[in-house]
Amino acid sequence: MPGAFLITGGTPLSGTVRVAGSKNAALPMMAAALLTDEPVVLDGVPRLTDVATLCRVLGELGVEAAWDGAGSGPSRALRLQVLDRSAVRARYALVRRMRASFCVLGPLLARRGKAVVSLPGGCRIGPRPVDLHLKGLAALGAELTLAHGYVIARAKRLRGAAIDLSGPAGPTVTGTANVLSAAVLARGETLLRGAAGEPEIVDLGRLLCRMGARIDGLGTSTVRVRGVDGLGGARHRIIPDRIEAATLALAAVATGGTAAVTGVVPGHLAAVLDRLAGAGVDLSSGADWIRLGAPRPPRPCAIAAEPYPGIPSDVQAQWTALMSVASGRSVVRDRVFPQRFAHVAELVRLGARIERIPGAAVVDGVAGLSGATVTASDLRASAALVVAGLAARGKTRVENVHWLDRGYEALDRKLTGLGAAIKRAEAGVLAQA
Ligand code: EPZ
């Protein structure tokens, strides 16, 4: 459903908001359910369209997915169980909708000996190749062919290998997930160099260990896997969504508000909190919460998005929005996806002064943004438009918010809880507006 958010900006956010479980941890873990016939139960999975899309992909691969428990909140669990191992194909129509579906490739190949998975194709945040995923699986002994837009992978039994997964922009997150989830069932030892150390990968590794895998070095760039013959079921609570937490924090700061964000791991947000302190934000944190009091306006503070533990690329757009109302010039760089700046043109419609240079945006903070109609183009660009709309004077309409529903659970309700004036208009209403 396209739909829109109608925001009346200018109100400082205040109150407490709780984040959901991590989308980018949940997706590869859901794919890991393919590795065993026993149930895998994931606690705290967010209700998102991306999760629903992967449930469909897994459903076509013989996996039953069922939500345990009613309502919302951190107690919800997703139970996944393989009922039929005959299918090996993930179709274009679904993989095109969500690139993370490509994460079924490694587990499918390792467990079923064959996988036929559509290449994900183009992406709005810039080139997103999968060569490193394929290189890793080939090193594990997979025979790979490309035909009619599909990767066809075959291997009777994968065998451990030394693999360097680092690419031109650093490690690959879902590539590490794919190769790690295959190596756990390979014969012998695998040494992954240049592995991603993102908390989502560490969390995936923890789930795999609970299922019986033997993995050392999680969270570092060198991960050692000793292959096992089979894996069993497991129950695991996924980590909080650090990107949702950062988005809510930046929204509060952009409005000059004061808010507590709970259910978080503050350590996962260290780089973001460090830059918020640089922007003059008053910060405190406890075991699972952070509290922010924003100056008005924030001080300009440059960032460069980098692999973990750096500032996440998934926060770059929202930071650009925040810096649009800062008291001076800042440069916002993205070293992970240097072309991920589709939000800039829309922020300019809200009155931001931003110039694009290669791999970065030069943002000259303005005294105030003014509400306008803007169009979301990808998940985090959409989040940036909401952050800016909340800070802007007057009414902002963010169109195409189906992008937000892919990655944020009930964002409008959470922001309303912080005092924001934000409403969802369904597609029909939008058409008449
Ligand atoms: C993951 O994407 C996330 N997605 C992205 O979040 C996130 O922006 C990204 O990591 C970076 O943190 C999920 O976890 C589902 P990469 P992924 O492979 O794994 C290059 C969101 O909004 N590369 O780590 O696809 C690539 O071009 C999404 O939630 C290769 O060269 O990203 C990029 O420059 C968007 N060859 C860099 O590596 C490859 O085979 C990092 O990409 C793979 C990647």
Side-chain angles (χ1 to χ4, degrees):
M1 264 292 172
F5 276 170
L6 308 176
I7 303 171
T8 305
T11 311
L13 300 189
S14 75
T16 300
V17 63
R18 191 174 182 86
V19 303
S22 162
K23 165 181 84 84
N24 289 345
L27 296 173
M29 283 197 224
M30 289 169 63
L34 287 162
L35 291 165
T36 174
D37 291 351
E38 293 178 14
V40 171
V41 182
L42 300 173
D43 287 298
V45 174
R47 288 273 192 154
L48 304 169
T49 46
D50 274 8
V51 167
T53 301
L54 189 53
C55 283
R56 277 189 69 188
V57 174
L58 291 172
E60 294 188 2
L61 294 169
V63 181
E64 182 188 66
W67 292 96
D68 278 354
S72 60
S75 58
R76 255 158 338 147
L78 183 63
R79 185 180 187 282
L80 299 151
Q81 184 165 17
V82 172
L83 300 181
D84 176 359
R85 265 192 271 135
S86 54
V88 293
R89 186 180 171 88
R91 315 185 263 136
Y92 177 57
L94 292 176
V95 181
R96 171 181 70 168
R97 219 182 269 182
M98 185 188 68
R99 293 180 59 86
S101 314
F102 201 68
C103 284
V104 300
L105 177 62
L108 206 49
L109 173 66
R111 180 74 178 120
R112 301 190 184 176
K114 183 173 179 192
V116 181
V117 179
S118 168
L119 281 166
C123 179
R124 291 168 198 245
I125 68 176
R128 291 176 79 186
V130 290
D131 56 309
L132 297 168
H133 301 231
L134 302 182
K135 172 185 160 187
L137 295 175
L140 291 174
E143 187 192 303
L144 298 171
T145 46
L146 298 181
H148 310 293
Y150 282 77
V151 177
I152 303 163
R154 284 192 186 82
K156 271 212 180 74
R157 172 97 194 252
L158 297 170
R159 47 169 203 278
I163 305 167
D164 186 351
L165 275 182
S166 46
T172 162
V173 177
T174 51
T176 302
N178 235 334
V179 178
L180 178 64
S181 302
V184 289
L185 283 183
R187 181 178 294 123
E189 183 170 306
T190 296
L191 198 63
L192 291 179
R193 290 209 175 77
E198 266 65 6
E200 293 76 15
I201 295 296
V202 174
D203 210 28
L204 167 67
R206 287 199 184 123
L207 168 70
L208 292 169
C209 289
R210 286 197 175 170
M211 293 167 71
R214 296 190 301 169
I215 308 171
D216 298 310
L218 287 168
T220 74
S221 61
T222 305
V223 174
R224 190 165 66 116
V225 183
R226 280 167 294 155
V228 295
D229 290 336
L231 294 171
R235 181 159 196 153
H236 181 78
R237 173 166 294 283
I238 63 171
I239 53 170
D241 197 310
R242 63 192 169 108
I243 308 302
E244 184 198 10
T247 303
L248 291 165
L250 266 58
V253 173
T255 62
T258 306
V261 185
T262 65
V264 300
V265 178
H268 291 169
L269 292 160
V272 176
L273 297 180
D274 178 70
R275 301 314 186 282
L276 280 172
V281 176
D282 187 21
L283 287 162
S284 52
S285 63
D288 69 346
W289 56 269
I290 54 171
R291 193 169 178 79
L292 317 99
R296 253 184 142 156
R299 287 203 294 264
C301 184
I303 63 154
E306 286 174 343
Y308 191 80
I311 288 259
S313 173
D314 290 347
V315 176
Q316 177 264 111
Q318 301 90 310
W319 193 269
T320 307
L322 175 63
M323 288 297 106
S324 299
V325 292
S327 58
R329 170 173 287 196
S330 54
V331 177
V332 177
R333 188 166 293 285
D334 197 325
R335 296 206 172 102
V336 179
F337 292 113
Q339 296 176 39
R340 190 179 197 174
F341 286 95
H343 45 284
V344 166
E346 298 302 294
L347 290 172
V348 166
R349 290 183 52 71
L350 293 168
R353 283 181 52 204
I354 308 176
E355 192 199 332
R356 280 279 285 113
I357 56 172
V362 181
V363 188
D364 282 302
V366 295
L369 299 173
S370 66
T373 297
V374 288
T375 303
S377 59
D378 68 66
L379 172 56
R380 308 304 172 186
S382 317
L385 298 179
V386 172
V387 169
L390 291 168
R393 282 186 311 269
K395 293 187 189 305
T396 291
R397 190 165 77 190
V398 182
E399 293 186 355
N400 282 350
V401 292
H402 61 280
W403 282 109
L404 285 162
D405 297 329
R406 289 186 54 169
Y408 293 92
E409 188 180 61
L411 184 63
D412 46 343
R413 267 191 279 136
K414 289 188 181 182
L415 290 169
T416 303
L418 291 174
I422 179 166
K423 275 193 315 200
R424 183 182 287 262
E426 294 306 336
V429 177
L430 177 67
Q432 294 157 20

